Amino acid sequence: MKLNMMHRSNQAWIENRKIALHNAKEKEHQIVHDVVDLMIIVLDSPLQKRRNKAYNIEKLERKMRHNQNHLNTLADLAVLYRNSNLPDQAAIIEEQIDTILKRSDPNDIIEKAICVLEQGYAALFEEYTENGLEAQQRLLESVRLINVEQRTAVGQKKDVLNRALNYTMEARRLLFQALNYKTNVSFFDKNSSVELLKKGFQYLSNTSYPKEKYYIWNFYYAMACSRMPDIEVATSGNTSISEKAVNLFWSVIKNLSKDNECFTIYRARSYAYIGHILISTNKPSIAYPKYSSLNNDKQFQSLLTTPLSSFEYATNELADDEVVLSREGISLWLMFKFGPGVKNIKHLEKAERKLSFSISQNPLMRRIDFSTRMKVYLEMFSLKQFSLDKREDLLKKALEDGETSIKHNLNAKDVCTVAEICQRLAKFPKFYLYGPEAVSNNEYLHAALDYLNQCVNAKGQNYFTSFTFGVIYFDLGEFRTASKWHKRAFMISNRKKGNGNIKQLLFSILKMGEGSHVYDELIHVLTCIARKWKDVEFLRDVVPKVHGEDYVRSLSKFLIFLQTYPLTAQQVEIAECLKAMLIKKDFFTADQFGVSQYKTSTTHDFEYDMKPESVLQRVQMEINSAGVQQSWRYDYFVIMSKVNSGWIQCFLQHQLSIQMIDGDRTFTGFPGIDYESCSSLLETTIDGINKSRKSILVLSKDLLTREWCLLKTIFTETLKKRSDSICIILLENCDVPSEIDYKHLLYFDFTDEMTIPFEIQHLKLALLNDC
């Protein structure tokens, strides 16, 4: 009764899961029928429905007749008795469970083993259901609903709702951190299918449990391992989890008799899983694992040499099995996509046939096959040997499969692939060109945005969705929005992903025009990239010739602009590297630029030379109370160091000022602080606080070293009069001044660049408060 699936709200998902369970009961061995029955009971009649409790109890009591000691049935029955106000019956059942668990009788030990093995089997259906993401989005919906209530509330009710809103936003932020805490330990927690099945085998180690049944459970243990990320198993030295899975599947093949028909499905699927694992985990640059324990097994060594032959063995065991067909289709696509040597179109054609046959047998169950067939059609589309009409037809088939796939399972990578297909259809036949000039049908691009919005609203953003948003908006000619999405993608990218995204980011910015506001933004972006990668080598790949003369002309004007712009030492290095790259690629000669002379930035050397007390005496420091001004001119005002102002404007304020997804709010910020003198710094800061609904203090080492001595008095005065209007951003790890009790203020952590896009979304939620 503790299955996560009973808490799922997606009825389509529940119905598909029920079909899968009935299919399993029809095809799989008798030893899993008990646990399948219990899972079906959970799906048919969740505990929340009182009218179904009596019916559930009756079904469980009937199941008890053929095995009075079946622990999982007993446990579920005890739960239902207690939830039906039958504590005496529940106590009897719980006492029976306790007795079985304490006894050391061989039959009771086997019952304990079966109990854990069944839980491991059930967990196979629980892995990667993304309940955490669903919970995060439900919290987001709660934030929106509380906001609606708060707008009409007054007095104490409004105060309580405000606290509820803050707590809900904090819960969402903490949940996000938890979802991103991924280690080997979290993959192998005590409730994972791998650990449960492993524990069950430990119970069976010294029992007389039938050998055949033991190896059927071994098949499910192998399945559990095959579904885990390919990381090293802590208890197995250097053995990867995929290698462990292959060894387990091979033990199933070797130990289940070929003469017994009820074992055929396990032998056939084991061959198929082995072939798929060998192909999917070994790219051309990596040698196949040695599998030292199987060095003397000639048949296995033959599979290592030609892994596709695994599917011939599988088909000989069991023809037309949907799982075998599916794994073979996926493997053939992988062989074409990543395999060594010349691409073999026969792999794609055979993959399409295998996947189509698998889908025809059970369309509702083969969701993954729709996803893979979509990719097969997309690969076939890329082959120039087909006519344009044929290629357009392949794209439309790919789109149809993609839409079917995400209808049943909203997977972010599938949504991005569907968006890519829409993009190519929108530009057909100019599908390899970039920009709105190539687009002939905007409807496909708007459809792509609909799918992306649906995905982000349901599951949050990641690198792939952010990058795909950027390229779609670029083709729509909305270059400002495109650049914002590419900035988000860059922030949550690693170096491998980031380099391709950087090109798109620069194209988007330069497409916005030619002027100081564009070039100012571009130098701050390039500085941020150089700081993240710790070098300027990325500049050597940012000018592909496909983008032509306009792009190169814009870069040359940008270089001329930099000669009039105060640059830091790192920015001078960026300018020189970009100049050298343009000359090296023969776009310009050194003479055309002449000898570069750059103005040196004094930002880091600037010191406020007057004592704060003397300046404050000459500046009227009056912070308005919350009730003084009800109609604010600006949504927010950012208090920051001059050193960080370029980054804050480029990566934070632009993000706040634009609608990123459907239903997103935009916010207007105070124009900025004047840093030219102590007086102007104080005057513009006070003006910004008084005219803005929220004040955002960006804490950094530079702020604390330079501006804080002057701003401290203003900030403490604001805390006294309008503490609920203050948000804190920790831009980098530094000693927080004693005047700032940031633990009791709205607080956003920007110290990890990978989480900044998500913290910006949380900041947007905070700015919605009291709108």
Side-chain angles (χ1 to χ4, degrees):
M1 288 296 180
K2 294 182 179 178
L3 293 175
N4 288 334
M5 63 175 68
M6 71 182 299
H7 301 290
R8 300 283 288 183
S9 60
N10 187 330
Q11 191 60 36
W13 184 93
I14 292 171
E15 291 302 319
N16 285 331
R17 182 55 62 211
K18 285 164 66 176
I19 292 170
L21 290 171
H22 285 294
N23 193 48
K25 192 170 180 181
E26 178 184 336
K27 294 187 175 184
E28 296 179 26
H29 195 273
Q30 184 74 32
I31 62 173
V32 299
H33 288 191
D34 283 335
V35 65
V36 169
D37 285 337
L38 293 177
M39 295 166 74
I40 291 172
I41 288 173
V42 168
L43 286 174
D44 275 338
S45 308
L47 289 180
Q48 294 91 331
K49 296 181 180 178
R50 291 187 56 181
R51 65 183 180 275
N52 291 318
K53 288 178 184 176
Y55 180 54
N56 283 343
I57 289 173
E58 183 183 339
K59 285 197 289 187
L60 291 175
E61 288 174 339
R62 281 201 306 268
K63 285 185 64 62
M64 292 298 300
R65 293 171 192 164
H66 76 271
N67 184 355
Q68 292 290 326
N69 293 330
H70 188 254
L71 286 167
N72 285 318
T73 304
L74 286 169
D76 284 359
L77 190 55
V79 169
L80 284 178
Y81 279 148
R82 288 214 174 271
N83 281 285
S84 301
N85 295 318
L86 299 170
D88 294 339
Q89 288 94 322
I92 294 170
I93 296 292
E94 288 161 354
E95 185 177 345
Q96 184 180 351
I97 293 171
D98 192 53
T99 302
I100 297 170
L101 292 175
K102 289 179 178 178
R103 285 197 307 236
S104 56
D105 180 271
N107 290 329
D108 290 325
I109 293 174
I110 290 175
E111 286 294 346
K112 284 187 276 188
I114 297 303
C115 172
V116 181
L117 290 169
E118 287 180 343
Q119 289 174 16
Y121 177 91
L124 277 172
F125 290 84
E126 297 279 79
E127 305 278 29
Y128 312 118
T129 55
E130 299 180 324
N131 285 350
L133 289 172
E134 186 173 333
Q136 191 180 38
Q137 293 311 114
R138 288 189 186 182
L139 283 172
L140 177 58
E141 291 171 11
S142 297
V143 168
R144 290 168 176 163
L145 290 171
I146 294 171
N147 256 308
V148 172
E149 283 291 312
Q150 192 187 41
R151 287 171 194 166
T152 57
V154 294
Q156 188 175 1
K157 181 179 179 181
K158 190 177 184 71
D159 294 338
V160 172
L161 284 170
N162 186 51
R163 290 203 302 275
L165 185 65
N166 290 339
Y167 291 146
T168 308
M169 288 192 295
E170 178 65 7
R172 191 171 186 266
R173 189 174 72 85
L174 293 173
L175 179 58
F176 167 76
Q177 292 177 357
L179 292 174
N180 282 272
Y181 179 71
K182 295 190 188 307
T183 65
N184 288 13
V185 176
S186 66
F187 284 125
F188 293 96
D189 64 45
K190 64 182 181 180
N191 294 318
S192 74
S193 57
V194 171
E195 291 302 299
L196 287 166
L197 288 158
K198 179 181 175 182
K199 182 179 178 182
F201 282 114
Q202 290 170 349
Y203 279 126
L204 287 178
S205 59
N206 294 315
T207 68
S208 58
Y209 192 66
K211 179 181 176 182
E212 292 83 0
K213 292 183 179 181
Y214 179 93
Y215 283 104
I216 290 173
W217 284 118
N218 226 24
F219 172 83
Y220 296 115
Y221 186 20
M223 272 190 67
C225 290
S226 73
R227 293 187 180 188
M228 299 301 286
D230 193 30
I231 54 181
E232 290 184 359
V233 183
T235 58
S236 306
N238 294 323
T239 304
S240 71
I241 192 70
S242 61
E243 186 175 344
K244 182 177 181 64
V246 168
N247 286 324
L248 289 167
F249 281 125
W250 194 248
S251 73
V252 172
I253 292 168
K254 288 300 180 181
N255 289 283
L256 289 182
S257 171
K258 192 172 183 178
D259 299 328
N260 192 327
E261 190 175 340
C262 69
F263 300 150
T264 302
I265 190 171
Y266 296 102
R267 291 174 54 84
R269 291 182 178 182
S270 292
Y271 276 120
Y273 276 111
I274 288 172
H276 177 253
I277 293 170
L278 292 178
I279 290 168
S280 64
T281 59
N282 296 281
K283 300 298 185 289
S285 60
I286 307 172
Y288 282 106
K290 294 183 182 295
Y291 293 95
S292 56
S293 62
L294 299 172
N295 277 344
N296 298 322
D297 191 313
K298 292 183 179 180
Q299 185 187 10
F300 184 80
Q301 292 302 314
S302 174
L303 295 185
L304 284 181
T305 307
T306 55
L308 278 176
S309 63
S310 296
F311 298 103
E312 295 177 16
Y313 285 107
T315 303
N316 289 335
E317 292 276 351
L318 183 63
D320 304 335
D321 178 67
E322 60 192 57
V323 172
V324 173
L325 290 166
S326 173
R327 293 290 157 178
E328 185 173 7
I330 296 170
S331 299
L332 287 162
W333 169 72
L334 289 170
M335 286 290 286
F336 179 87
K337 183 78 173 175
F338 303 107
V342 179
K343 303 295 184 184
N344 189 345
I345 188 176
K346 291 182 179 179
H347 284 157
L348 284 182
E349 293 172 339
K350 190 174 180 181
E352 192 272 339
R353 290 196 301 272
K354 295 290 181 180
L355 293 166
S356 297
F357 193 9
S358 174
I359 289 169
S360 69
Q361 291 193 53
N362 200 339
L364 291 175
M365 280 295 298
R366 306 317 310 166
R367 297 191 307 274
I368 190 173
D369 293 340
F370 283 108
S371 171
T372 309
R373 194 171 66 173
M374 166 185 66
K375 295 166 190 169
V376 169
Y377 286 139
L378 193 54
E379 288 296 335
M380 294 174 78
F381 152 80
S382 67
L383 300 176
K384 295 181 180 179
Q385 63 201 71
F386 293 123
S387 67
L388 279 177
D389 288 344
K390 174 66 173 176
R391 295 172 81 179
E392 185 176 21
D393 181 60
L394 288 167
L395 275 182
K396 289 180 178 178
K397 285 182 176 180
L399 179 57
E400 186 178 345
D401 275 356
E403 289 173 333
T404 302
S405 177
I406 61 181
K407 178 181 178 181
H408 293 291
N409 180 31
L410 194 64
N411 177 280
K413 285 192 176 181
D414 279 354
V415 169
C416 292
T417 304
V418 168
E420 179 188 349
I421 294 166
C422 288
Q423 187 181 28
R424 296 191 180 192
L425 283 167
K427 296 186 286 188
F428 199 90
K430 300 177 182 179
F431 35 77
Y432 289 125
L433 298 181
Y434 293 92
E437 300 82 6
V439 175
S440 57
N441 190 340
N442 273 354
E443 289 302 311
Y444 281 114
L445 296 179
H446 291 300
L449 290 179
D450 288 341
Y451 287 124
L452 288 164
N453 274 293
Q454 181 187 1
C455 183
V456 170
N457 280 322
K459 300 195 173 184
Q461 60 189 285
N462 60 25
Y463 170 80
F464 297 104
T465 51
S466 299
F467 176 82
T468 308
F469 262 120
V471 296
I472 297 296
Y473 276 115
F474 188 91
D475 278 346
L476 281 169
E478 298 182 33
F479 303 120
R480 167 59 68 189
T481 309
S483 71
K484 297 301 159 279
W485 276 111
H486 283 305
K487 286 177 187 176
R488 285 201 178 184
F490 167 72
M491 283 189 276
I492 49 183
S493 70
N494 55 31
R495 183 135 196 177
K496 182 178 179 181
K497 295 175 183 173
N499 282 340
N501 178 65
I502 289 168
K503 296 175 188 176
Q504 298 295 335
L505 173 54
L506 301 192
F507 301 156
S508 300
I509 294 174
L510 288 173
K511 275 284 192 177
M512 288 188 289
E514 297 176 353
S516 58
H517 67 289
V518 172
Y519 299 145
D520 183 72
E521 180 175 348
L522 183 57
I523 188 59
H524 286 303
V525 167
L526 292 173
T527 305
C528 179
I529 297 169
R531 186 172 64 247
K532 182 172 180 176
W533 294 157
K534 297 182 174 58
D535 60 49
V536 295
E537 293 301 311
F538 68 92
L539 288 167
R540 304 190 185 280
D541 299 316
V542 298
V543 190
K545 293 185 179 180
V546 70
H547 286 273
E549 295 182 2
D550 290 342
Y551 177 66
V552 176
R553 191 182 302 111
S554 295
L555 280 178
S556 65
K557 290 182 178 180
F558 170 61
L559 282 174
I560 294 170
F561 166 80
L562 292 182
Q563 296 182 16
T564 66
Y565 189 88
L567 302 179
T568 64
Q570 187 178 48
Q571 289 169 343
V572 170
E573 185 182 3
I574 290 169
E576 285 297 311
C577 182
L578 188 57
K579 172 185 169 183
M581 181 265 297
L582 287 171
I583 293 172
K584 182 178 180 181
K585 292 193 175 184
D586 296 325
F587 288 117
F588 297 99
T589 63
D591 294 338
Q592 286 177 285
F593 284 106
V595 179
S596 300
Q597 295 182 345
Y598 302 105
K599 294 169 60 178
T600 304
S601 171
T602 58
T603 299
H604 288 280
D605 303 322
F606 185 80
E607 297 290 345
Y608 293 99
D609 55 2
M610 298 182 68
K611 293 182 178 180
E613 295 80 6
S614 61
V615 180
L616 289 168
Q617 289 175 0
R618 296 190 291 107
V619 175
Q620 184 177 358
M621 192 187 72
E622 181 62 34
I623 302 298
N624 294 336
S625 299
V628 171
Q629 188 170 355
Q630 296 298 328
S631 180
W632 309 105
R633 187 178 299 180
Y634 304 100
D635 293 307
Y636 67 91
F637 167 62
V638 183
I639 306 169
M640 58 195 158
S641 169
K642 182 179 181 181
V643 173
N644 305 124
S645 59
W647 187 95
I648 292 298
Q649 181 183 28
C650 189
F651 283 88
L652 174 63
Q653 290 179 271
H654 285 171
Q655 300 270 321
L656 295 177
S657 67
I658 202 163
Q659 186 183 51
M660 302 292 287
I661 57 174
D662 287 351
D664 206 2
R665 276 287 303 272
T666 60
F667 300 94
T668 304
F670 185 83
I673 299 175
D674 184 349
Y675 295 94
E676 290 305 312
S677 67
C678 299
S679 298
S680 64
L681 170 64
L682 289 169
E683 288 169 354
T684 52
T685 300
I686 293 168
D687 191 35
I689 292 172
N690 284 331
K691 290 179 178 177
S692 305
R693 188 166 45 82
K694 293 279 187 181
S695 296
I696 303 172
L697 177 66
V698 181
L699 285 175
S700 66
K701 293 175 184 176
D702 289 302
L703 176 83
L704 297 176
T705 302
R706 294 173 178 81
E707 290 88 357
W708 183 245
C709 62
L710 285 168
L711 299 178
K712 177 168 55 177
T713 305
I714 297 175
F715 187 80
T716 53
E717 183 69 14
T718 307
L719 271 177
K720 290 178 186 176
K721 294 187 175 182
R722 292 176 55 198
S723 62
D724 61 339
S725 72
I726 294 177
C727 300
I728 304 293
I729 287 178
L730 190 63
L731 187 62
E732 56 188 355
N733 291 315
C734 54
D735 294 328
V736 180
S738 58
E739 297 86 359
I740 304 173
D741 184 13
Y742 74 93
K743 292 182 180 179
H744 293 91
L745 297 170
L746 280 174
Y747 161 72
F748 305 91
D749 188 351
F750 279 35
T751 57
D752 181 358
E753 193 171 76
M754 295 284 280
T755 67
I756 289 175
F758 308 97
E759 291 288 82
I760 289 174
Q761 286 303 104
H762 298 147
L763 177 58
K764 277 194 169 186
L765 290 175
L767 292 175
L768 278 173
N769 191 9
D770 292 332
C771 275

